Amino acid sequence: MNITRTNVDALNAVVTVAVSKNDYASKVEKVLADYRKNALIPGFRKGAVPMSLIQKQYGKAVLLEEVNKVLQENLNNYLVEEKLDILGNPLPKVTEDFDWNKEDFTFDFELGLAPEFSVDLSAKNNITAFKIIADDKMLNDQVERIQKQYGKLISKDTVEEGDDLNVTFSNEVNGINSTTSISLDVFKDKKTAKKFIGKKVGDVIEIGTKGLFDDDHKLMDYLKVDHDLVHGLDIEVSAKIEGITTSEKAELNQELFDKLFGEGNVTSVDGVKAKIKEDAEKQFAQQADQKFLNDVTEFLLESTKFDLPSEFLIKWLQNAGEKPLTEEEAREEFAKSERGLRYQLIEGKIMTENNLQITFEDLKAFTSELIKKQMAQFGQMNPTQEDIDGIVARVLSNQDEVKRLSEQVMSEKMLGLFKEKVKVKTKEVSYEQFVKEMYGE
């Protein structure tokens, strides 16, 4: 068998595979001999059917199958031996006058080659790494929220200042129908809050959404409005009062501290705030890391330039899925997936150049920590290592879970590498400031 490659350009090539009779003949003969041993044809004893009859009945189908096996095996070996980095799969070039009655065959395959490019993690950029802090306002609000949550709830008939309301916001035209709990101090304009004073359960108040809250993003929480619509939204909504309650705040004492954090773990209000700050900033760090990862990804996509074998990939996409696509559909699919493919190539380059690998020990350690956190959420604070190891073994026996967890481990490794090598400015912000930065405001 002879295999040659012709480079069309830097991103496209044609591989020609010449298959001679010597490459497949013995395999075809063996298969036909096995057919003959087991063939049941009227007029002949089992195993005594003439080979000419077997050849006539099965020969062409067996020839096609065995030639294809030899072809695919040798083509795959060639791609590995030549260390060709290809995109998609080889595409056979259709020959209209192909003759299967010959003894020697020639097959051409189109290849889409991965581009050559470099990734510069240290290049100049405009990325900001945020450190989100739980400021005094947030801590005080959280303490007050805890006092109300653990305080005594009293139902009322009439709204007064300081009450909590269960309200259904609705606007049929805009598809708004959201029931939520609010306190009157959530409204930016005091005139809006005053509209509720003196109202009773079942009353409906008409209010405008423009400037309703100090941050338009709160429309997402209270009215369930999509982010793309919240900025400057100026419509009227009906607010129906479903319930009125006031809360007699819980006393900040040791009994409450023990209920919240376990006996003796926290002994003062300052201790409560310290614990809230610690827990909140752990969550904030995850959000800041995700934004950092997203921003680095965008930077790499913008700064790393290379061409793709687009026409080849469009042609490949036409028959890559279960359902064949038209050329137009394949072009649309390519347009949707191009950025993802580009980042996949960039990420692969970074992983190779920085020797980022996932070991089974990495996977076990990550899964173990994940399980400990999940168990802690359900009050199991001190599970035995034996219990943890048993759960880890069960989880990692599922290939889908292994794939999902592997992606998370690699994401963490990439994050660590980016923090080490991408030069960025850092900025300390409150959570409210971070939300504004997150949405580019």
Side-chain angles (χ1 to χ4, degrees):
M1 180 173 293
N2 184 40
I3 303 180
T4 57
R5 181 174 84 250
T6 303
N7 289 328
V8 178
D9 54 38
L11 297 173
N12 296 275
V14 174
V15 168
T16 301
V17 184
V19 181
S20 68
K21 185 176 181 179
N22 291 335
D23 296 321
Y24 64 82
S26 62
K27 295 179 175 62
V28 171
E29 288 172 6
K30 182 179 184 307
V31 173
L32 290 176
D34 289 339
Y35 274 34
R36 185 183 182 217
K37 288 178 186 177
N38 299 296
L40 296 173
I41 297 178
F44 298 96
R45 288 182 292 106
K46 183 177 180 180
V49 179
M51 180 56 79
S52 60
L53 192 57
I54 296 294
Q55 175 70 41
K56 183 179 180 181
Q57 190 165 354
Y58 302 108
K60 183 60 68 69
V62 171
L63 172 66
L64 267 61
E65 184 176 355
E66 293 305 314
V67 168
N68 187 58
K69 285 180 182 177
V70 169
L71 177 64
Q72 293 300 326
E73 180 182 353
N74 285 274
L75 177 59
N76 291 337
N77 289 340
Y78 173 80
L79 296 177
V80 172
E81 290 167 5
E82 292 293 309
K83 297 183 173 137
L84 290 179
D85 192 2
I86 66 172
L87 302 178
N89 292 314
L91 287 177
K93 295 185 73 172
V94 177
T95 304
E96 296 295 336
D97 57 350
F98 193 86
D99 186 2
W100 281 103
N101 293 315
K102 293 182 178 180
E103 293 186 341
D104 299 333
F105 310 103
T106 300
F107 302 91
D108 290 331
F109 292 87
E110 295 179 69
L111 301 183
L113 305 177
E116 292 289 333
F117 61 93
S118 59
V119 181
D120 186 4
L121 294 178
S122 62
K124 186 177 180 181
N125 61 73
N126 293 316
I127 300 171
T128 298
F130 292 98
K131 181 181 179 182
I132 311 171
I133 59 168
D135 58 12
D136 289 341
K137 180 181 182 301
M138 172 176 279
L139 297 178
N140 290 332
D141 287 347
Q142 283 292 97
V143 170
E144 186 172 349
R145 191 172 290 115
I146 288 171
Q147 284 184 275
K148 292 177 73 173
Q149 181 182 347
Y150 287 89
K152 185 178 179 182
L153 204 61
I154 303 170
S155 295
K156 298 179 60 180
D157 296 323
T158 306
V159 180
E160 295 179 281
E161 285 191 19
D163 289 345
D164 293 316
L165 309 180
N166 197 35
V167 174
T168 297
F169 292 106
S170 59
N171 178 302
E172 187 174 348
V173 174
N174 292 274
I176 296 172
N177 185 25
S178 171
T179 301
T180 186
S181 296
I182 63 167
S183 55
L184 294 180
D185 59 6
V186 77
F187 298 118
K188 180 180 179 181
D189 186 354
K190 291 183 179 179
K191 291 180 181 178
T192 302
K194 286 182 178 178
K195 289 184 178 181
F196 288 83
I197 302 298
K199 300 297 183 182
K200 299 181 180 297
V201 174
D203 287 348
V204 177
I205 298 93
E206 300 296 327
I207 56 177
T209 58
K210 187 174 182 179
L212 185 59
F213 305 114
D214 58 0
D215 183 347
D216 283 345
H217 291 106
K218 289 182 179 178
L219 292 169
M220 297 165 63
D221 298 323
Y222 293 111
L223 274 64
K224 306 304 179 196
V225 178
D226 289 341
H227 175 260
D228 293 342
L229 302 176
V230 298
H231 301 291
L233 183 67
D234 188 6
I235 61 173
E236 290 289 314
V237 293
S238 299
K240 181 181 179 182
I241 301 174
E242 308 286 0
I244 308 166
T245 58
T246 189
S247 179
E248 186 179 292
K249 292 181 182 178
E251 186 179 345
L252 293 170
N253 55 26
Q254 194 60 47
E255 182 182 354
L256 179 60
F257 301 156
D258 290 346
K259 185 182 293 184
L260 290 170
F261 305 108
E263 189 172 348
N265 290 324
V266 171
T267 58
S268 66
V269 175
D270 287 341
V272 172
K273 290 182 178 180
K275 186 66 176 172
I276 294 171
K277 183 178 178 68
E278 178 187 355
D279 292 343
E281 290 182 354
K282 281 182 183 177
Q283 295 180 27
F284 294 161
Q286 293 176 357
Q287 295 180 55
D289 283 346
Q290 188 58 57
K291 176 167 173 53
F292 174 71
L293 198 57
N294 293 344
D295 290 346
V296 173
T297 298
E298 287 299 318
F299 160 68
L300 291 173
L301 281 167
E302 291 298 320
S303 64
T304 309
K305 304 296 183 182
F306 55 81
D307 292 326
L308 290 170
S310 305
E311 292 304 314
F312 168 85
L313 290 170
I314 289 166
K315 193 185 297 185
W316 173 71
L317 281 170
Q318 285 185 260
N319 294 290
E322 293 181 7
K323 179 185 174 184
L325 303 178
T326 64
E327 181 181 341
E328 184 180 354
E329 289 172 334
R331 287 186 181 279
E332 289 177 2
E333 185 62 30
F334 177 72
K336 292 177 189 174
S337 59
E338 183 179 359
R339 276 173 62 84
L341 174 58
R342 286 182 177 279
Y343 189 69
Q344 189 177 2
L345 291 170
I346 293 169
E347 188 178 52
K349 184 88 168 177
I350 293 170
M351 288 165 58
T352 300
E353 291 182 347
N354 294 277
N355 195 31
L356 293 185
Q357 299 177 354
I358 300 174
T359 66
F360 188 64
E361 290 305 313
D362 290 336
L363 205 52
K364 279 176 63 178
F366 179 82
T367 307
S368 179
E369 287 304 310
L370 203 61
I371 288 167
K372 287 178 183 176
K373 289 176 183 176
Q374 290 174 347
M375 294 178 78
Q377 289 177 354
F378 291 97
Q380 296 175 265
M381 306 304 294
N382 297 299
T384 66
Q385 191 59 47
E386 184 179 357
D387 288 340
I388 294 291
D389 290 344
I391 298 172
V392 169
R394 288 197 296 276
V395 170
L396 297 184
S397 67
N398 183 316
Q399 290 303 309
D400 290 336
E401 283 296 297
V402 169
K403 181 181 178 182
R404 184 180 66 84
L405 292 167
S406 295
E407 289 172 353
Q408 292 181 34
V409 172
M410 182 52 71
S411 181
E412 284 199 352
K413 286 179 177 282
M414 292 290 283
L415 177 62
L417 179 72
F418 291 160
K419 285 184 175 181
E420 176 188 343
K421 296 201 170 186
V422 179
K423 297 175 182 177
V424 299
K425 59 179 180 286
T426 58
K427 186 176 181 180
E428 193 173 275
V429 294
S430 68
Y431 185 71
E432 286 186 3
Q433 291 170 325
F434 175 73
V435 169
K436 291 180 181 179
E437 294 277 0
M438 187 79 172
Y439 292 107
E441 299 169 6

